[in-house]
Amino acid sequence: MTGPNDDFHVYDTTLRDGAQREGISYSVTDKLAVARLLDGLGVGFIEGGWPGALPKDTEFFARAAAGDLELKHAKLVAFGATRKAGVKVEEDRQVKALLDAQAPVITLVAKSDLRHIERALRTDTEENLKMVRDTVKYLKDHGRRVFLDAEHFFDGYAFSPDTSLRVLESAVEGGADVVVLCDTNGGQLPLNLAETVAEVVEKTGFRVGIHCQDDTSCAVANTIAAVQAGATHVQCTANGYGERAGNADLFAVVGNLVTKLGMEVLPTGALAELTRVSHALAEIANIAPDTHQAYVGSSAFAHKAGLHASAIKVDPELYNHIDPDIVGNDMRVLVTEMAGRASIELKGREFGLDLAGRSTEVGSALSRVKELESKGWSFEAADASLELLLRNELSELDGPPPFTLESYRVVLDHRSDGEIVSEATVKVHVAGERVIATAEGNGPVHALDAALRKALLPHLSWLDTVELADYKVRILTEHPGTDAVTRVLVESTDGEREWTTVGVHGNIVEASWLALCDALVHKSMRSTM
Amino acid sequence: MTGPNDDFHVYDTTLRDGAQREGISYSVTDKLAVARLLDGLGVGFIEGGWPGALPKDTEFFARAAAGDLELKHAKLVAFGATRKAGVKVEEDRQVKALLDAQAPVITLVAKSDLRHIERALRTDTEENLKMVRDTVKYLKDHGRRVFLDAEHFFDGYAFSPDTSLRVLESAVEGGADVVVLCDTNGGQLPLNLAETVAEVVEKTGFRVGIHCQDDTSCAVANTIAAVQAGATHVQCTANGYGERAGNADLFAVVGNLVTKLGMEVLPTGALAELTRVSHALAEIANIAPDTHQAYVGSSAFAHKAGLHASAIKVDPELYNHIDPDIVGNDMRVLVTEMAGRASIELKGREFGLDLAGRSTEVGSALSRVKELESKGWSFEAADASLELLLRNELSELDGPPPFTLESYRVVLDHRSDGEIVSEATVKVHVAGERVIATAEGNGPVHALDAALRKALLPHLSWLDTVELADYKVRILTEHPGTDAVTRVLVESTDGEREWTTVGVHGNIVEASWLALCDALVHKSMRSTM
């Protein structure tokens, strides 16, 4: 596999700047999973967070340093600020935390807008320059590679170009080898931004990077324009996650650089993983994938009325800006999120299944996956359900299931005193017995889960360790109105591992039931393997 | 009110190209509502659809011509194709349908890529040119203003510039006064696109428009770059709705033109309506508003960690690319979708309420709206619920409510035969009696609605005409996991008018109940007014 070299940097900041998006709250486990997916895609740098400022980020770097994160392509980056004004760099606790994170690369953020230096930082230009130079040099002296994020650069450059350029100069004097021009407030437009980038490159000769926010809906375009103007380092986030309107979307930026400008910025073969990685990262963030996202959205190559389907079939290149296969996407309206047979085989190997010479079963598993996905199922983030489906198709689920359902009933009462109560009764067969159990819950699903556990626990001792770790609901609105189906993802844990299952149904309670059952069946299978 | 003149065209195609987005299915009523909102915003042109090709579009133009749509700012535009190859223009039925639509402006789409002319249209360049010239001239002779959409222009121009330019020339010869360069497949990037636009403007001297798709995530940037390169007509859709990755977002394009390039492309005061109109159009399309959309998203000016709230408060202009008030948006994390007191007063007048000298009640209604919206309620598309809330705060709801709830119970059964059944019982007080009724339904909400009608119908004869027209559910994921609240919108009709109500609760059944009750109370109020 040929990979990108240092000439051009694809730098991901999903775990730091992307995590600023409202609604995202990554656990440390989430962060490790995100980093692995990004590394698998072949980005050059993964900014993991701000150690010392956020406890979860500190822990993430500690676990990475302890061996929980083996990166094949990417270098891990710790993000932080320069030393405080009036403090010696070796005595600055934040700077120490950056070294303690043990990441080989450190990106320092520095003010580069005179107004921010004076009004937000409340110091003067000279002290700010020293803060930049001192901190970069100190980290360099401790063996780190250092990049500088010049915050509010474009606004600052328009207001007082000299101030902003001197910040870049101080960073390079200290030993930084990339100065990243940040459109922190996101107000730039491409033609104007490209002019500024070209001017800075020409005036300074420095290696320039670009970091764009999407407040004008131009973050991707601004990033590309900056590259065309001489930037060789692009900072992006997966799916454009980020504060306010978000950041430049990694997948659109990479898609454009590779397919429009012919730049090989990812390892060979990685581009075909774009769609899968995008969707998996959306699931981890618990954000519905944007179906209309450029390159990777499930509708990005889907055609509706106005064109004859047959015309598209004959001449697809007339109606698509690229072949969707290039980015692992699909032209069908009902997109199969899985790339196909190859993915099934890949997944099978992950589960420890030997699929050699079993192409019939693989084919029937693929058909089943496609059929379910057309009905709203998604296995991207529900490996445990997919494993059960595969083992079932391969007839590898020996023995009877751990329990079978006879019936359940959920009652929602809006009482005359205004209280709303949910109660569930399940009738199940387990260990040769018929068991009936009733429980209450905060809502119908909690009640159902509680009743099922109450029924099974005396007979299935392993259930004791299993807990519901997370519960996600998404209404799929492809079918507007009451025909919408509900997809439920249930994440379970037994203290040692986590696994996720999925259920889909028109009725939210039944969808939840399907996901809950898969979770327990999967645990049972692992307990008896 | 000063408005835009003909020097620059803001041209909206939400109702035609926007409707190509998967999941959008506008009724004729929806289309009229969309057109009114866009007209209120002050766009110059509203493309209403393709009469003759789509029955709903034909009906829309018929109703507009019959007086159902009075436009204050905008000109209505009918969209269609040039005459067919080998057919006389006066005998072409599609062309006739364009005239029958009675819109003052017609936009014709024509092939302008040699490969499409030969492979999709299966004709030759000369006949294609005649089709363009003939059709434009015929429509001009019938008193219409004609614009030409040059489909696949950028791809075609790169492949065979002469062919593409001759299509523009034929249109202008026929009498078209704007030729719109379309990036139909959406593969363009801003710097390159701007070069082409400038070249076409220079070579031809024609008035040039721009129409961009978002397949590279650059539609907004491409549109702006085209304007900077000489285009004076921009085709956009509300919220970027459109096929595949969508179109250039009207709100971002307008926001950029006004606030970044200082162009007065909307009537005075209209920009402050941007956020409200965007959200209202999302509700009509039944698509969750993109919380991170530039300018208008509820998070577009919301700041999370990393910055001290107090610093932002002192110097907000340091941290926002524009003042959010300019576009009717808000810097708070919990955004009040309503613009404030002025909106409440405006709405009150719409409802026929006299609010003069009642600022205390208006203030308390506003507080109530803000409080509810912070909990997930949205009144943008639920006028009937808002009217009830206002009349309640103003103590204008005389007399007892038409009915009161004692209790309800919903039972969901997953039976031993695998069938899933929903049944509801309601106990209500109506016309001095206590009534109990039970009904089944496809799901819990249908069952509840059926039981309520069964209980009330013998006592409230007006209920007979009321029907549930639409039912929309949205899970609000701001609070991930099981704490998510569900928002339900219920559209009701009595055959004469339609009204929409909203309910929000952690329990989907209770949320639906709240919306259903508001719908009936609102009907009752109107029946007794």
Side-chain angles (χ1 to χ4, degrees):
Chain A
M1 188 184 246
T2 63
N5 54 32
D6 200 53
D7 292 347
F8 192 90
H9 293 171
V10 176
Y11 181 110
D12 181 275
T13 176
T14 304
L15 291 173
R16 203 270 310 167
D17 220 19
Q20 301 281 319
R21 176 178 164 128
E22 280 183 73
I24 287 187
S25 173
Y26 292 124
S27 66
V28 175
T29 310
D30 288 340
K31 291 183 78 112
L32 291 166
V34 168
R36 286 184 197 111
L37 281 161
L38 290 166
D39 183 49
L41 191 64
V43 306
F45 298 88
I46 297 172
E47 192 176 270
W50 191 331
L54 301 168
K56 275 198 294 192
D57 290 5
T58 308
E59 189 189 336
F60 167 78
F61 283 102
R63 286 189 58 180
D68 282 2
L69 183 65
E70 280 184 32
L71 299 176
K72 284 177 221 143
H73 296 286
K75 296 270 187 298
L76 195 60
V77 184
F79 176 92
T82 58
R83 70 164 174 82
K84 290 198 170 53
V87 176
K88 284 186 185 164
V89 65
E90 59 272 21
E91 288 170 8
D92 189 292
R93 287 169 59 191
Q94 291 270 2
V95 173
K96 183 175 180 302
L98 281 173
L99 285 178
D100 290 346
Q102 298 184 50
V105 184
I106 292 172
T107 293
L108 285 177
V109 60
K111 304 276 181 207
S112 62
D113 178 332
L114 182 58
R115 293 160 299 187
H116 280 266
I117 293 166
E118 292 177 345
R119 283 150 66 182
L121 208 58
R122 288 161 195 257
T123 184
D124 59 43
T125 295
E126 295 309 319
E127 173 64 4
N128 185 53
L129 295 176
K130 282 183 207 150
M131 286 155 62
V132 172
R133 199 184 302 111
D134 288 359
T135 317
V136 175
K137 183 166 188 314
Y138 181 75
L139 297 173
K140 283 287 289 183
D141 289 346
H142 283 76
R144 302 302 193 277
R145 185 175 187 179
V146 183
F147 302 151
L148 187 91
D149 271 7
E151 211 184 40
H152 298 287
F153 182 83
F154 293 93
D155 300 333
Y157 188 80
F159 181 74
S160 167
D162 188 50
T163 306
S164 304
L165 288 176
R166 288 181 68 200
V167 173
L168 307 184
E169 283 159 11
S170 295
V172 172
E173 283 163 23
D177 68 347
V178 181
V179 289
V180 183
L181 314 184
C182 300
D183 181 21
T184 309
N185 286 354
Q188 293 292 307
L189 299 176
L191 300 188
N192 316 60
L193 175 134
E195 272 178 32
T196 303
V197 171
E199 209 170 287
V200 171
V201 169
E202 201 197 318
K203 278 186 185 168
T204 65
F206 297 160
R207 177 166 191 177
V208 163
I210 185 76
H211 175 118
C212 294
Q213 302 288 136
D214 204 28
D215 299 78
T216 59
S217 204
C218 294
V220 169
N222 284 340
T223 304
I224 301 297
V227 171
Q228 291 179 300
T232 57
H233 166 117
V234 293
Q235 296 194 351
C236 307
T237 64
N239 305 319
Y241 297 148
E243 197 170 39
R244 305 190 313 275
N247 290 45
D249 172 20
L250 173 71
F251 306 114
V253 167
V254 162
N256 286 335
L257 292 175
V258 177
T259 71
K260 303 301 172 193
L261 301 183
M263 298 171 64
E264 291 189 29
V265 300
L266 287 187
T268 307
L271 206 63
E273 302 296 316
L274 226 53
T275 301
R276 183 182 64 79
V277 171
S278 163
H279 291 216
L281 290 172
E283 292 294 345
I284 294 172
N286 193 22
I287 288 173
D290 176 0
T291 52
H292 296 261
Q293 194 173 342
Y295 290 99
V296 299
S298 60
S299 298
F301 298 93
H303 295 272
K304 203 173 161 181
L307 283 171
H308 295 287
S310 60
I312 298 179
K313 258 191 201 159
V314 173
D315 257 339
E317 69 272 27
L318 286 187
Y319 299 96
N320 286 319
H321 71 116
I322 58 161
D323 177 352
D325 282 348
I326 292 172
V327 291
N329 210 335
D330 198 308
M331 225 178 98
R332 275 162 302 179
V333 172
L334 287 173
V335 158
T336 294
E337 316 251 79
M338 307 279 305
R341 186 176 284 265
S343 298
I344 295 283
E345 287 173 356
L346 195 69
K347 278 288 170 194
R349 276 202 293 278
E350 274 181 44
F351 300 143
L353 294 165
D354 182 9
L355 299 174
R358 308 184 68 177
S359 78
T360 311
E361 289 97 328
V362 170
S364 88
L366 182 60
S367 302
R368 180 81 183 129
V369 167
K370 287 190 176 183
E371 184 201 335
L372 287 170
E373 289 191 336
S374 76
K375 292 176 182 164
W377 295 68
S378 168
F379 293 97
E380 280 296 349
D383 268 4
S385 286
L386 182 60
E387 183 177 356
L388 288 176
L389 184 154
L390 277 185
R391 289 189 185 273
N392 198 38
E393 292 293 334
L394 296 166
S395 307
E396 293 214 353
L397 285 178
D398 295 330
F403 66 93
T404 55
L405 175 73
E406 182 182 313
S407 65
Y408 69 71
R409 165 175 293 186
V410 181
V411 181
L412 300 170
D413 259 322
H414 181 132
R415 291 192 194 149
S416 56
D417 60 5
E419 213 180 326
I420 298 166
V421 180
S422 304
E423 178 193 289
T425 300
V426 299
K427 299 180 184 176
V428 293
H429 296 260
V430 56
E433 282 186 34
R434 179 169 182 264
V435 184
I436 303 180
T438 297
E440 287 187 338
N442 294 332
V445 177
H446 275 152
L448 197 58
D449 184 51
L452 182 61
R453 281 161 191 279
K454 198 168 167 185
L456 299 181
L457 195 54
H459 305 276
L460 303 173
S461 58
W462 49 259
L463 190 62
D464 194 25
T465 60
V466 179
E467 279 177 25
L468 191 72
D470 201 2
Y471 174 78
K472 296 171 184 173
V473 176
R474 190 166 301 157
I475 296 218
L476 304 173
T477 49
E478 274 104 70
H479 315 285
T482 47
D483 289 325
V485 296
T486 300
R487 180 163 74 215
V488 168
L489 284 174
V490 164
E491 188 182 319
S492 306
T493 177
D494 57 9
E496 286 179 9
R497 66 183 189 98
E498 284 136 22
W499 64 102
T500 304
T501 52
V502 59
V504 173
H505 199 272
N507 185 322
I508 186 177
V509 175
E510 179 69 11
S512 305
W513 170 261
L514 293 171
L516 288 172
C517 286
D518 259 15
L520 298 189
V521 172
H522 192 265
K523 169 65 183 175
S524 159
M525 180 194 77
R526 286 291 177 101
S527 303
T528 58
M529 268 169 79
Chain B
M1 188 186 247
T2 63
N5 56 30
D6 200 54
D7 292 345
F8 192 89
H9 294 172
V10 176
Y11 181 110
D12 181 275
T13 177
T14 304
L15 291 173
R16 203 270 309 167
D17 220 19
Q20 302 280 319
R21 176 179 163 127
E22 281 184 73
I24 286 187
S25 173
Y26 291 124
S27 67
V28 175
T29 311
D30 287 341
K31 291 182 79 112
L32 291 166
V34 169
R36 286 183 197 113
L37 281 162
L38 290 166
D39 184 50
L41 190 64
V43 307
F45 298 89
I46 297 172
E47 193 176 86
W50 192 331
L54 300 169
K56 274 198 295 192
D57 290 4
T58 308
E59 189 188 336
F60 167 78
F61 282 103
R63 285 188 60 180
D68 281 2
L69 183 64
E70 280 183 33
L71 298 177
K72 284 177 223 142
H73 297 284
K75 297 268 187 298
L76 195 60
V77 184
F79 176 91
T82 57
R83 70 162 174 81
K84 288 202 172 48
V87 176
K88 283 185 185 164
V89 65
E90 59 272 23
E91 290 168 7
D92 189 292
R93 288 170 58 191
Q94 289 271 1
V95 172
K96 181 173 181 303
L98 281 174
L99 285 179
D100 291 346
Q102 298 183 50
V105 184
I106 292 173
T107 293
L108 286 176
V109 60
K111 303 275 182 205
S112 61
D113 179 332
L114 182 59
R115 293 160 300 186
H116 279 267
I117 293 166
E118 292 178 344
R119 283 151 67 182
L121 209 58
R122 288 162 195 256
T123 185
D124 57 41
T125 294
E126 296 308 320
E127 173 65 4
N128 185 53
L129 296 176
K130 282 183 206 148
M131 287 155 61
V132 172
R133 200 184 302 112
D134 289 358
T135 316
V136 175
K137 185 169 187 312
Y138 181 75
L139 297 173
K140 281 288 289 184
D141 289 346
H142 284 77
R144 302 301 192 276
R145 185 175 188 180
V146 183
F147 302 150
L148 186 91
D149 271 7
E151 209 184 38
H152 297 286
F153 182 83
F154 293 92
D155 300 333
Y157 187 79
F159 181 74
S160 167
D162 188 50
T163 306
S164 303
L165 288 176
R166 287 181 67 200
V167 173
L168 306 185
E169 283 159 11
S170 296
V172 172
E173 282 164 25
D177 69 346
V178 181
V179 289
V180 184
L181 314 185
C182 301
D183 182 20
T184 310
N185 287 353
Q188 293 293 307
L189 300 177
L191 299 187
N192 316 58
L193 176 134
E195 273 178 31
T196 303
V197 171
E199 209 172 286
V200 171
V201 169
E202 201 197 319
K203 278 186 184 169
T204 66
F206 298 159
R207 178 168 190 174
V208 163
I210 185 76
H211 175 119
C212 295
Q213 302 287 136
D214 205 28
D215 300 77
T216 59
S217 204
C218 293
V220 169
N222 284 341
T223 303
I224 300 298
V227 171
Q228 292 178 299
T232 57
H233 166 118
V234 292
Q235 297 194 349
C236 308
T237 64
N239 304 321
Y241 296 148
E243 197 170 39
R244 306 191 311 276
N247 290 44
D249 172 20
L250 173 70
F251 306 114
V253 167
V254 162
N256 286 335
L257 292 176
V258 177
T259 71
K260 304 300 172 191
L261 301 183
M263 298 172 64
E264 289 188 30
V265 300
L266 287 186
T268 307
L271 206 63
E273 302 296 315
L274 226 53
T275 300
R276 182 183 65 80
V277 171
S278 164
H279 290 216
L281 291 171
E283 292 294 344
I284 294 172
N286 193 21
I287 288 172
D290 176 0
T291 50
H292 295 263
Q293 196 173 341
Y295 290 99
V296 298
S298 61
S299 300
F301 298 93
H303 294 271
K304 203 173 161 182
L307 283 172
H308 294 287
S310 59
I312 298 179
K313 259 191 199 158
V314 174
D315 257 338
E317 70 273 27
L318 287 187
Y319 298 96
N320 286 319
H321 71 117
I322 58 163
D323 177 352
D325 283 348
I326 293 172
V327 291
N329 210 334
D330 198 305
M331 226 179 99
R332 275 162 300 179
V333 173
L334 286 173
V335 157
T336 294
E337 316 252 80
M338 307 280 304
R341 183 175 286 265
S343 299
I344 294 282
E345 288 174 357
L346 196 70
K347 278 287 167 193
R349 277 201 294 277
E350 274 181 46
F351 300 143
L353 294 166
D354 181 10
L355 299 175
R358 307 184 68 177
S359 78
T360 312
E361 289 98 327
V362 170
S364 90
L366 181 60
S367 301
R368 179 84 182 126
V369 166
K370 287 190 176 184
E371 183 201 336
L372 287 170
E373 289 191 336
S374 76
K375 292 176 182 166
W377 295 69
S378 168
F379 294 97
E380 281 296 347
D383 267 5
S385 286
L386 183 61
E387 184 178 355
L388 288 177
L389 184 152
L390 278 185
R391 289 190 185 274
N392 198 39
E393 293 292 336
L394 297 166
S395 306
E396 294 215 353
L397 285 179
D398 294 331
F403 66 93
T404 55
L405 174 73
E406 181 180 315
S407 65
Y408 69 71
R409 167 176 292 186
V410 180
V411 181
L412 299 169
D413 257 322
H414 182 131
R415 290 190 195 152
S416 56
D417 60 4
E419 215 181 324
I420 299 165
V421 180
S422 304
E423 180 192 289
T425 299
V426 299
K427 299 182 186 174
V428 294
H429 297 259
V430 57
E433 281 186 37
R434 178 169 184 263
V435 184
I436 302 180
T438 297
E440 286 187 338
N442 294 331
V445 178
H446 275 152
L448 197 58
D449 184 52
L452 182 61
R453 281 161 191 281
K454 200 169 166 184
L456 300 181
L457 194 54
H459 306 275
L460 303 173
S461 58
W462 50 259
L463 190 62
D464 195 24
T465 60
V466 179
E467 278 176 26
L468 190 72
D470 201 2
Y471 175 78
K472 297 171 182 173
V473 175
R474 189 166 301 157
I475 297 217
L476 304 174
T477 49
E478 273 104 70
H479 316 284
T482 46
D483 289 326
V485 297
T486 301
R487 181 163 74 215
V488 168
L489 285 174
V490 164
E491 188 183 320
S492 305
T493 176
D494 57 9
E496 287 178 10
R497 64 181 191 99
E498 283 136 23
W499 65 101
T500 305
T501 51
V502 59
V504 173
H505 199 271
N507 184 321
I508 185 177
V509 175
E510 178 68 12
S512 306
W513 171 261
L514 293 171
L516 288 172
C517 287
D518 259 15
L520 298 189
V521 172
H522 192 265
K523 169 66 185 175
S524 159
M525 180 193 77
R526 287 289 176 103
S527 304
T528 57
M529 266 168 81

